[in-house]
């Protein structure tokens, strides 16, 4: 879910590293992120206090946006947000829509620099939200506009004197994802009609295009997942909320697909676990269904225990045999020099052999 965050983590990491180095170092980085967003960071040793940041974002609608540069409202929003530590360079770097010169020398506290870097990472959401507000203003009191943030998933914004609606054609490649999504959208529509969500913006789902899309090209409305639409209240496109609202609209379709994939994975894992439990139950029922099967099961268990005991005893027997063989080998190796010669000399002298009766009759005299 890294690309659902409006801030650029790579940009934060690079800028934080530049602020933490002891000696100035040259930097020339080009970054690519989700949604065809491209960054370019440049810094030199001779001008170590200034960092040049260029950004290229796709135009949400080529019909409403000018062919060159950003609209004036976008430049005003950027100056207002980054005036303490950034300056807009005109013209922008070739191939980019906006170039900023960053200078954090005026921010002495590390806390302030960290906050400024986090604000810089939100530059893409600031540009896109200002573009969205400019498009809504260009529609006048009513009209419908097609917005393209991801080439595969365009969506529509419809404006009337009463409300503003966002309409998302949902397309899914897999039939399983389509079935899960259809169930999810129907449940979402049912919950939206309850009193618990009466204060929330109205959300609806329809398998056919809503009336706001009448007159659009057929290939723009070809979909297998229906159309999700919800109302945008006026307070959501004013002030600081505008950037977050724009980012949610631009990533809504990707987030729904991510949610569907996670739901599918969860269902499959539960099905596999349930299948394992049922298999165990069936196996137990085969042997525990009647008395004969129960006896067979007991015999199998006994034979298994006997085989285990026999294997252990055999292993111990092998161990004892190995120890005894080793002791025998040690005894055979013992030799005493001259022992055989002494035995031969002893055989030359007669040895008196007494019977048991003679031994009993023989008396010993006590020596004083």
């Amino acid at each position: 879910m890294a690309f659902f965050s409006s801030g650029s983590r790579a940009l934060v990491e690079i800028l934080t590293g530049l602020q933490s180095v002891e000696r100035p170092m040259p930097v020339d980085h080009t970054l690519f992120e989700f949604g065809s967003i491209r960054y370019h960071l440049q810094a030199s040793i001779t001008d170590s206090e200034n960092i040049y940041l260029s950004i290229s974002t796709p135009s949400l609608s080529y019909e409403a946006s000018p062919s060159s540069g950003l609209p004036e409202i976008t430049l005003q929003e950027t100056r207002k947000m980054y005036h303490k530590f950034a300056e807009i360079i005109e013209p922008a770097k070739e191939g980019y829509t906006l170039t900023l010169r960053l200078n954090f020398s005026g921010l002495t506290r590390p806390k302030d620099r960290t906050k400024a870097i986090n604000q810089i990472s939100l530059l893409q959401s600031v540009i896109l939200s200002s573009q969205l507000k400019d498009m809504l203003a260009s529609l006048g009191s009513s009209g419908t506009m097609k917005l393209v943030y991801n080439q595969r998933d365009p969506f529509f914004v419809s404006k009337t004197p009463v409300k503003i609606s966002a309409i998302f054609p949902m397309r899914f490649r897999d039939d399983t994802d389509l079935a899960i999504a259809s169930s999810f959208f129907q449940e979402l529509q049912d919950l939206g009609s309850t009193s618990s969500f009466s204060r929330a913006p109205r959300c609806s789902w329809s398998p056919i295009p809503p009336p706001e899309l009448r007159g659009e090209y057929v290939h723009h409305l070809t979909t297998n997942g229906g159309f999700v639409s919800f109302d945008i209240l006026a307070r959501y496109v004013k002030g600081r909320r505008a950037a977050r609202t724009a980012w949610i609209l631009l990533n809504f379709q990707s987030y729904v697909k991510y949610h569907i994939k996670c739901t599918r994975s969860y269902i499959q894992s539960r099905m596999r676990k349930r299948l394992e439990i049922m298999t165990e139950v069936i196996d137990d029922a085969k042997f525990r269904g009647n008395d004969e099967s129960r006896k067979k099961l007991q015999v199998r268990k006994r034979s298994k225990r006997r085989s285990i005991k026999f294997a252990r005893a055999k292993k111990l027997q092998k161990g004892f045999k190995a120890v005894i063989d080793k002791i025998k080998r040690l005894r055979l190796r013992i030799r005493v020099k001259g022992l055989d010669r002494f035995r031969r000399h002893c055989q030359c002298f007669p040895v008196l052999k007494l019977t048991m009766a003679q031994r009993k009759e023989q008396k010993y005299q006590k020596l004083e």
Side-chain angles (χ1 to χ4, degrees):
M1 290 182 64
F3 59 87
F4 294 134
S5 175
S6 56
S8 173
R9 295 184 181 181
L11 200 59
V12 171
E13 184 178 351
I14 294 174
L15 291 176
T16 303
L18 288 175
Q19 296 301 312
S20 61
V21 295
E22 297 180 356
R23 296 180 180 180
M25 54 183 297
V27 175
D28 193 353
H29 286 299
T30 302
L31 311 176
F32 294 89
E33 290 192 348
F34 179 79
S36 302
I37 297 174
R38 182 163 52 103
Y39 293 100
H40 182 261
L41 276 166
Q42 188 175 5
S44 61
I45 299 177
T46 56
D47 190 11
S48 59
E49 292 185 353
N50 294 323
I51 302 173
Y52 293 90
L53 172 63
S54 301
I55 183 173
S56 174
T57 59
S59 180
L60 297 181
S61 177
Y62 295 102
E63 298 175 0
S65 298
S67 58
S68 60
L70 295 173
E72 186 61 28
I73 187 174
T74 303
L75 299 178
Q76 291 177 3
E77 290 285 342
T78 306
R79 291 191 186 98
K80 182 180 179 181
M81 188 169 183
Y82 304 115
H83 69 279
K84 293 182 179 180
F85 50 85
E87 180 184 357
I88 297 177
I89 302 298
E90 294 181 348
K93 184 180 176 63
E94 185 179 357
Y96 295 86
T97 55
L98 180 67
T99 300
L100 295 178
R101 181 167 57 200
L102 308 178
N103 191 334
F104 300 108
S105 59
L107 306 175
T108 56
R109 296 189 304 175
K111 183 179 179 180
D112 295 337
R113 294 194 175 190
T114 303
K115 184 178 179 181
I117 290 173
N118 291 331
Q119 289 180 352
I120 286 294
S121 68
L122 302 174
L123 180 60
Q124 55 178 344
S125 63
V126 173
I127 295 175
L128 294 172
S129 63
S130 61
Q131 287 185 12
L132 184 59
K133 287 194 294 184
D134 182 61
M135 293 174 190
L136 293 175
S138 65
L139 286 176
S141 59
S142 62
T144 302
M145 180 177 294
K146 177 187 174 184
L147 303 180
V148 182
Y149 178 62
N150 186 0
Q151 296 293 333
R152 294 180 298 178
D153 299 319
F155 65 98
F156 300 89
V157 174
S158 177
K159 185 178 180 181
T160 62
V162 181
K163 62 180 181 179
I164 301 173
S165 300
I167 305 168
F168 299 91
M170 305 305 300
R171 300 175 177 87
F172 299 94
R173 297 182 179 180
D174 197 345
D175 294 338
T176 305
D177 294 348
L178 178 60
I180 297 173
S182 300
S183 176
F184 170 71
F185 292 145
Q186 291 175 2
E187 184 179 358
L188 182 65
Q189 186 175 5
D190 295 340
L191 288 175
S193 60
T194 59
S195 58
S196 302
F197 299 91
S198 58
R199 299 182 60 183
R202 187 184 66 86
C203 180
S204 61
W205 173 80
S206 174
I208 60 175
E212 292 85 355
L213 298 183
R214 290 176 181 173
E216 294 292 333
Y217 293 104
V218 177
H219 64 276
H220 291 167
L221 306 179
T222 303
T223 176
N224 58 355
F227 296 82
V228 178
S229 59
F230 50 83
D231 298 341
I232 303 173
L233 303 181
R235 63 176 181 268
Y236 293 145
V237 291
K238 292 182 180 179
R240 297 180 179 180
R241 289 187 175 184
R244 181 170 177 79
T245 301
W247 194 252
I248 291 173
L249 293 176
L250 296 176
N251 293 278
F252 174 76
Q253 291 164 308
S254 299
Y255 183 78
V256 169
K257 292 181 179 180
Y258 167 81
H259 176 75
I260 298 301
K261 290 293 184 182
C262 292
T263 305
R264 178 180 178 178
S265 177
Y266 174 74
I267 293 173
Q268 289 176 347
S269 63
R270 291 296 301 270
M271 290 175 64
R272 285 193 294 268
K273 187 175 181 181
R274 182 64 178 169
L275 180 61
E276 292 175 0
I277 295 173
M278 292 179 66
T279 304
E280 293 178 359
V281 172
I282 292 171
D283 292 340
D284 293 340
K286 287 181 180 179
F287 298 104
R288 298 179 183 178
N290 47 37
D291 295 337
E292 294 181 359
S293 300
R294 196 173 302 169
K295 290 179 181 179
K296 290 181 180 179
L297 182 63
Q298 292 177 358
V299 170
R300 286 187 179 183
K301 288 183 178 180
R302 288 175 186 173
S303 61
K304 188 175 182 180
R305 286 196 294 266
R306 288 176 183 174
S307 61
I308 292 172
K309 289 181 180 180
F310 180 75
R312 289 178 180 174
K314 196 171 182 181
K315 189 175 181 180
L316 290 173
Q317 187 178 3
K318 287 182 179 179
F320 287 136
K321 188 176 180 181
V323 173
I324 292 170
D325 293 342
K326 191 173 182 180
I327 292 173
K328 287 181 178 180
R329 286 195 299 270
L330 290 174
R331 290 182 62 186
L332 291 173
R333 291 175 184 175
I334 297 174
R335 294 289 184 271
V336 179
K337 292 183 179 180
L339 182 60
D340 296 337
R341 188 185 303 171
F342 178 73
R343 286 178 178 175
R344 287 195 299 271
H345 284 299
C346 289
Q347 291 177 0
C348 299
F349 300 99
V351 180
L352 180 63
K353 295 183 179 180
L354 300 177
T355 63
M356 293 299 296
Q358 292 174 349
R359 288 179 183 178
K360 290 181 180 179
E361 293 176 359
Q362 188 178 3
K363 297 180 180 179
Y364 296 94
Q365 185 179 2
K366 185 178 181 182
L367 298 176
E368 294 180 357

